[in-house]
Amino acid sequence: MNTPLTPHGPGFRFIDRFTRNEPNSGTGWKTLDPALPFFADHFPGRPLMPAVLLVECAAQTAGVLWMQDSSQPETPLFLAGIDQFRVSGAVVPGETLETRVTLVKEFGALAQFEAECRVQDRTVARGRFMMSRQLASG
């Protein structure tokens, strides 16, 4: 059995595989099974992937990239802020979402990323967001 790329439970993993492109960028892929629960209700008869889940795909892909360079890869990462994110196309059941992320800048326990979500040759979303490492309480 493969080790999951993220600490999320199976129903909330939005990366099937990941490839590092360059030192500060990587790509994650998620094949969208038509049986995923959100497709049943968003929207009945015309299922679409919710835009907020496109942001989650980007955050999980950024998390995998950032964890690979961490001296503490077990430290949880969180989406800390969305600076901007634009959705420009629909994502439907059966498609494979490709999410490319680039680490723009690190600020200690925070990092800024840019992302582009694509299906085949079309961009469906892009944006910039912040991730945070959980700080140890003490």
Side-chain angles (χ1 to χ4, degrees), residues 38-49:
F38 58 82
F39 282 132
D41 295 320
H42 194 269
F43 295 94
R46 188 166 184 251
L48 299 173
M49 184 172 193

Side-chain angles (χ1 to χ4, degrees), residues 13 15 24 28 31 36 38 40 60 63-64 74-75 80 92-93 98-99 114 116 119 133 136:
R13 286 188 193 125
I15 304 175
N24 289 332
T31 299
L36 286 165
F38 58 82
Q60 288 188 20
V64 172
E74 70 286 348
T75 302
V92 299
E98 176 184 334
T99 305
E114 290 182 343
E116 179 181 37
V119 172
R133 295 186 192 274

Side-chain angles (χ1 to χ4, degrees), residues 52-129:
V52 69
L53 294 181
L54 294 173
V55 176
E56 182 64 24
C57 288
Q60 288 188 20
T61 304
V64 172
L65 176 67
W66 205 21
M67 283 189 302
Q68 286 186 349
D69 292 335
S70 175
S71 60
Q72 300 175 324
E74 70 286 348
T75 302
L77 304 176
F78 300 95
L79 179 62
I82 301 169
D83 299 324
Q84 58 177 260
F85 216 90
R86 302 278 186 241
V87 177
S88 57
V91 181
V92 299
E95 292 184 319
T96 298
L97 183 67
E98 176 184 334
T99 305
R100 300 173 187 170
V101 297
T102 301
L103 173 63
V104 176
K105 188 170 184 176
E106 287 189 75
F107 311 88
L110 294 172
Q112 184 177 56
F113 291 87
E114 290 182 343
E116 179 181 37
C117 300
R118 299 179 59 83
V119 172
Q120 296 180 6
D121 62 348
R122 63 186 170 93
T123 298
V124 295
R126 65 173 41 169
R128 189 178 280 226
F129 56 94

